[in-house]
Amino acid sequence: MLTYEQARQRVIEQIGEKKGPRGTEQVRVGEALGYVLAQEVKTDREYPPFNRATRDGYAVFAADAKAGATLKCTGEIKAGDRVTKELWAETCVQIMTGAAVPSGADAVVMIEHTKRDGDEVRFERAAATGQNFVPRGSEARAGQTLLTPGMRLGYAELALAAQVGAAELKCAQKPRVAILSTGDEIVPVDSIPGRFQIRNSNSVSLAAQVRLAGGRPVLLGNAMDREDDLSSKIRRGLQEDLLVLSGGVSMGKYDLVEKVLREMKAEFYFDAVAIRPGKPAVFGKCGEKFVFGLPGNPVSTMVTFELFVAPAVDLLSGAEARALPIVEARLGEALEEKPGVTHFLPARMEGQGANLEVTALKWQGSGDVAALAKANCFVVVPVETEKIETGEKVSVLLRRELL
Ligand code: AMP
Ligand code: MG
């Protein structure tokens, strides 16, 4: 059986081959969070466009502003002021953060290091050439490419696009991800379930995970555990860029997802992974479309999405598959697990830096959504590990959206 790393690698290899989005769309910069860029963004001018003061103080010739020197202040420059006059030797000009340093001046002295008496400014420390301003063009040259196709747009990238005047961005269309739950016991979330029925929480968590991964969820509801219903809804799902099913992939008599997919001539790249929860996870291709069959227990569905579906959504968006957000922390409470599979245990991590401490939560297994809602991460117990002692270092898979 594949390890989770091998299974992830299969997903990346298979989808990587036909990597790239279906098409592009124009998106306003303020709406483009989480999209993948499909154009270059270049600067429209130099950055900064002038020598920009980074402190409130006085623009000077560094050679004039020696410790104890007194210079005459000849005026002031605010952010946004047009600066035409040069600085004269043996004088200074009051200047504000963000304002243009007058030509000739080669330093800005912080106001905190001066004393003012009328027009006279006394300098308490010697100025150093180049201090407290950012030289014109030092952040970026005019016409320089700053953002490239394939980059994911976060708030900093959006700010940069906005700064250089890219009000609209050509972005990769978000992949459309069909979500189909399965199970005779599943009822819509807005209904009152019978005693032995279960509300369809997986479609809700999957849609949220698809959005976080940068895809567009297409909700197809629920298929009954019957071949006819499954195959017609799977066919519908295969019209989208990617199909994700939940449930019906274990060994039960009514777990028909794999059977139906096989009858539809699907090929499979894996149909089990050495993990818990999530062991029966399935990944294959049906016609031209990739399909995931995730186990239906809610925590299994969530974990297997993070491990296997998230990189698929990245690749179908035209971006690189993001690495799993795994960090190290010290274990707060010893734990024991059966070897042979990698365990992902819902856990809480607290603290910072070298003091990060993580403790697995008590839970009732992969159906326990209440436990997961208390968790902010998973402790990753490696395949061959049986016991981890308190204080030992462990790997922790973070819940991405809570970072
Ligand atoms: P399965 O993988 O179909 O054997 O389902 C495993 C467990 O997950 C069963 O207890 C199901 O009731 C539960 N389950 C399956 N699908 C969903 C769903 N869409 N929402 C919530 N729970 C589900
Ligand atoms: Mg089922």
Side-chain angles (χ1 to χ4, degrees), residues 14-15 18 180 230-245 256-270 282-293:
Q14 287 304 324
I15 300 190
K18 47 174 293 184
L180 177 59
L230 271 169
S231 67
S232 71
K233 286 180 176 147
I234 286 175
R235 260 178 240 289
R236 165 67 188 87
L238 291 171
Q239 292 170 13
E240 306 300 342
D241 299 317
L242 182 66
L243 170 58
V244 179
L245 292 119
L256 301 171
V257 167
E258 233 180 300
K259 178 162 188 268
V260 169
L261 282 168
R262 268 187 216 286
E263 275 160 15
M264 295 170 79
K265 307 264 182 302
E267 49 173 324
F268 293 98
Y269 306 112
F270 58 77
V282 172
F283 170 54
K285 195 177 189 183
C286 197
E288 281 304 292
K289 300 291 169 65
F290 292 100
V291 184
F292 288 93

Side-chain angles (χ1 to χ4, degrees), residues 27 112 172 284 314 342:
V27 186
E112 292 88 334
D314 281 344
T342 304

Side-chain angles (χ1 to χ4, degrees), residues 54-327:
T54 57
R55 300 282 187 197
D56 297 310
Y58 293 93
V60 296
F61 289 96
D64 292 345
K66 300 194 181 74
T70 299
L71 300 175
K72 188 175 154 72
C73 180
T74 59
E76 66 169 39
I77 308 170
K78 304 191 296 298
D81 282 355
R82 268 180 65 127
V83 179
T84 46
K85 283 197 224 130
E86 295 179 26
L87 185 71
W88 289 44
E90 302 294 325
T91 69
C92 63
V93 171
Q94 189 165 14
I95 192 164
M96 319 301 156
T97 299
V101 175
S103 70
D106 60 0
V108 171
V109 177
M110 288 165 68
I111 197 154
E112 292 88 334
H113 298 160
T114 63
K115 264 216 178 69
R116 177 131 182 195
D117 182 8
D119 282 350
E120 302 285 294
V121 181
R122 193 182 134 80
F123 292 84
E124 291 169 348
R125 309 186 183 188
T129 305
Q131 89 187 3
N132 298 328
F133 72 92
V134 183
R136 171 177 178 173
S138 63
E139 291 168 355
R141 300 183 309 276
Q144 187 177 341
T145 300
L146 295 181
L147 300 173
T148 51
M151 279 184 150
R152 193 173 291 280
L153 298 168
Y155 56 80
E157 291 73 18
L158 294 178
L160 184 55
Q163 181 179 314
V164 303
E168 270 205 354
L169 295 168
K170 189 162 111 181
C171 294
Q173 275 177 1
K174 293 192 172 188
R176 291 171 58 90
V177 181
I179 295 171
L180 177 59
S181 72
T182 71
D184 290 350
E185 77 281 30
I186 305 303
V187 297
V189 291
D190 54 0
S191 63
I192 309 277
R195 182 152 172 219
F196 302 106
Q197 293 179 318
I198 305 273
R199 290 195 187 92
N200 187 357
S201 65
N202 283 351
S203 290
V204 173
S205 59
L206 284 171
Q209 287 180 288
V210 165
R211 284 206 182 87
L212 282 170
R216 225 180 261 302
V218 180
L219 288 161
L220 300 185
N222 184 68
M224 302 298 271
D225 293 316
R226 283 196 333 256
E227 291 189 31
D228 56 344
D229 198 30
L230 271 169
S231 67
S232 71
K233 286 180 176 147
I234 286 175
R235 260 178 240 289
R236 165 67 188 87
L238 291 171
Q239 292 170 13
E240 306 300 342
D241 299 317
L242 182 66
L243 170 58
V244 179
L245 292 119
S246 85
V249 288
S250 324
M251 300 302 284
K253 187 172 163 195
Y254 296 99
D255 289 328
L256 301 171
V257 167
E258 233 180 300
K259 178 162 188 268
V260 169
L261 282 168
R262 268 187 216 286
E263 275 160 15
M264 295 170 79
K265 307 264 182 302
E267 49 173 324
F268 293 98
Y269 306 112
F270 58 77
D271 64 358
V273 187
I275 52 173
R276 184 174 299 158
K279 189 167 155 204
V282 172
F283 170 54
K285 195 177 189 183
C286 197
E288 281 304 292
K289 300 291 169 65
F290 292 100
V291 184
F292 288 93
L294 308 182
N297 264 312
V299 181
S300 312
T301 314
M302 296 180 212
V303 169
T304 50
F305 185 99
E306 278 306 292
L307 297 179
F308 310 122
V309 188
V313 175
D314 281 344
L315 294 168
L316 293 171
S317 309
E320 300 281 319
R322 281 170 283 191
L324 284 172
I326 292 183
V327 299

